[in-house]
Amino acid sequence: MLDALAFATSITAPIFIVLGCGILFKRIGWITEHFAEIGSALVFKVTLPCFLFVKLVVTDFRHGFPVLLIVYALVATCAVFLVLDRVLATRLQPATDRGAFVQGAFRGNMGIVGLAFCISAFGEPVIVTASIYLAILTVLYNVLAVVTLSAHAQGESGTPSWGQLLGRIAKNPLILAIAGGVLLSLTAVPVPQVLLTTGEYFARMTLPLALLCAGASLRMTEFNSSGSLYWATFAKLLVVPAVITLGGIAVGLRGEQLGVLYLMCSAPTAAASYPMTQAMGGNHHLAAAIIATTTLGAMLSTTVGVFILRSLTLI
């Protein structure tokens, strides 16, 4: 238990510290609201796409494809999303909170925290399974995020057409980067090392820049008065991982694949949810607060979840 606690803390604490630095830098004037807006746009359009492309272009998708894990994860994620978006979010006021709530409740930080969780738990051999899961579920996450943010950004005036949704999805830099990386990997087209190295430079900027900008946009009033924040945090840390993991056990997932499923689901809300929410007109202050609270809470919730699964010899 102490080893698991030390492991979770070593992964999540640095992320929360960088968020805190964003808050501090904003208060002492080193970061402005304008910087946070420009920085989050840079993450969304450049650094995060580079991060995903560089990881996926070197992944072998043709061997050891975890069919049951991927199919189940896709179905379970869609089912959870429908409940969050069509049942729970409709009860929230104001309407501008709804997209940020839904995205914050289901979209985990798989590319940074989730992948680190998996490697720490199962070692280097898990990278293939975790990378395939990351690639496919990231596409779904982004599609669902565009759907909910587009719909709820319209407020009470109605939802956008499917044509509008498909247009936004097709233009999403993250989805374009994933599609390009997977295509080049499957076709074995060589990518010049200079491009990979350049992409890696941009990729290394992703997490610190996204978290600094998210921290700079935090407003303490979100922690004091937003019921949406606490419901999203409760769902992301407890309800969603528990429901999806129990379903995974029911369909027969065990060992490494069940561990990947749980650790990816239990990761705190993705830092990318902040720039996407801001770019699409949602409540980005709420999105930033959800990132902060789930990052802090994941230090405990993930530790408890791993302890339970290992105690039951399921992973």
Side-chain angles (χ1 to χ4, degrees):
M1 182 63 175
L2 292 178
D3 289 342
L5 179 61
F7 155 68
T9 302
S10 69
I11 296 297
T12 57
I15 297 173
F16 196 76
I17 290 171
V18 177
L19 268 173
C21 288
I23 298 172
L24 175 63
F25 295 166
K26 172 70 178 303
R27 287 186 174 273
I28 64 178
W30 290 1
I31 291 179
T32 64
E33 187 71 27
H34 182 64
F35 175 90
E37 292 176 2
I38 298 299
S40 48
L42 184 65
V43 169
F44 181 64
K45 296 176 181 178
V46 180
T47 68
L48 188 55
C50 285
F51 176 84
L52 292 171
F53 179 83
V54 168
K55 281 193 175 295
L56 297 177
V57 78
V58 297
T59 299
D60 184 359
F61 292 93
R62 293 169 293 183
H63 299 91
F65 192 90
V67 178
L68 178 60
L69 170 63
I70 298 303
V71 172
Y72 169 73
L74 290 171
V75 173
T77 300
C78 289
V80 166
F81 172 82
L82 288 174
V83 173
L84 290 169
D85 192 65
R86 302 302 176 187
V87 179
L88 301 181
T90 57
R91 304 172 185 270
L92 297 178
Q93 294 296 337
T96 52
D97 282 2
R98 295 172 184 173
F101 161 80
V102 175
Q103 185 181 212
F106 82 87
R107 185 178 186 180
N109 191 340
M110 299 186 298
I112 307 295
V113 180
L115 194 59
F117 276 153
C118 292
I119 294 173
S120 180
F122 299 105
E124 294 294 325
V126 81
I127 290 179
V128 173
T129 299
S131 295
I132 293 172
Y133 186 103
L134 169 66
I136 296 175
L137 267 294
T138 296
V139 173
L140 179 61
Y141 277 8
N142 280 281
V143 169
L144 296 180
V146 170
V147 169
T148 192
L149 290 170
S150 297
H152 298 305
Q154 300 292 320
E156 301 298 331
S157 62
T159 59
S161 68
W162 279 106
Q164 291 174 313
L165 290 177
L166 290 175
R168 292 177 183 179
I169 290 168
K171 295 176 183 177
N172 187 294
L174 306 184
I175 293 177
L176 292 175
I178 291 169
V182 172
L183 180 62
L184 290 177
S185 175
L186 292 175
T187 56
V189 174
V191 179
Q193 186 59 45
V194 64
L195 293 182
L196 290 177
T197 302
T198 302
E200 185 66 31
Y201 287 158
F202 280 114
R204 290 172 185 169
M205 296 170 56
T206 300
L207 187 59
L209 181 58
L211 292 174
L212 281 174
C213 293
S217 78
L218 280 175
R219 297 185 303 185
M220 293 302 106
T221 54
E222 295 292 346
F223 293 92
N224 296 327
S225 61
S226 177
S228 301
L229 167 63
Y230 298 108
W231 282 117
T233 301
F234 178 69
K236 182 69 195 75
L237 296 181
L238 298 176
V239 179
V240 172
V243 169
I244 292 180
T245 303
L246 288 173
I249 294 171
V251 301
L253 292 174
R254 296 291 187 276
E256 178 183 287
Q257 291 195 10
L258 181 63
V260 169
L261 178 70
Y262 172 72
L263 291 169
M264 289 294 195
C265 290
S266 67
T269 301
S273 66
Y274 169 75
M276 180 174 280
T277 301
Q278 185 176 52
M280 299 189 66
N283 186 345
H284 59 284
H285 298 292
L286 174 60
I290 293 172
I291 293 169
T293 55
T294 56
T295 299
L296 181 61
M299 296 172 65
L300 177 61
S301 62
T302 302
T303 299
V304 172
V306 169
F307 175 74
I308 292 172
L309 291 174
R310 285 183 174 172
S311 298
L312 298 175
T313 65
L314 294 171
I315 62 174

